[in-house]
Amino acid sequence: MKLIVEKNYENISRTAANIIADKVLAKPGIVLGLATGSTPIGTYKELIKMYKEGILDFSEVRSFNLDEYVGLDENNPYSYRYFMNENLFDHINIKKENIHVPDGKAENMDEYCKDYDRLIEKAGGIDVQILGIGENGHIAFIEPDTSLPIGTSVVELTEDTIVVNSRFFNSVDEVPRTAVSMGIGSILKAKSILLLANGRRKADAINSILECERISTEIPASFLLLHPDVTIIVDEEAYSKSK
Ligand code: PGA
């Protein structure tokens, strides 16, 4: 595992975007694993800037997002597909047919989830997976539990996550209780992983990976320690409990 400690959020975003840009330049048909949430927004802004400056071309890039709320479609401003359109896809030349965000309104969810993992495999697997981390140590919507889903699955959100994510909604009651999320196996199959975290509220979660001696389903992010190519990029606040 590689750890990069940056001064602030802007530097995290720039460093992450530079790593991704190098990979896109080296492999124009790269498969990107993308995340939502506040953490990657700055990275996406940097990638958009590089596209507008003519440095990056996304015309051959394929993407798979980690998760989506069950019951929300892309026209719903709270959906992750909407978020991705607003914060990245609408500003770069990625082809619509190359974008994959789990469908929160799929009719047969069990079949749909299996197909999502098959689709990733058919694309050749994810080359670089971007991850945020929850305050409770979740990655994607893989919540702390006594066991974790291996493949893409419908998952129940914990009360903690519902409360934390309610900041994006009008009220906590509007936050969906379930989501469709890549599983821990889907994520660990990515060839490389970039985990980003900023701010003091992430310090415990980051420390639980950096100081981890035994992986635990109660800290889903601890499974990243099994992966051979993980880079964690944090700011000084997120690193403050690990010094
Ligand atoms: P955040 O969410 O980027 O909005 O902090 C991260 C996560 O919950 O995985």
Side-chain angles (χ1 to χ4, degrees), residues 36-40 132-135 138-140 165 167-168 201-202:
T36 52
S38 21
T39 310
I133 184 168
E135 290 172 45
H138 77 200
I139 46 174
N165 284 13
R167 71 188 192 279
F168 296 112
R201 69 186 180 91
K202 298 294 175 69

Side-chain angles (χ1 to χ4, degrees), residues 65-78:
N65 262 80
L66 288 169
D67 44 18
E68 177 62 282
Y69 290 113
V70 166
L72 306 192
D73 64 28
E74 72 174 293
N75 299 316
N76 188 314
Y78 299 130

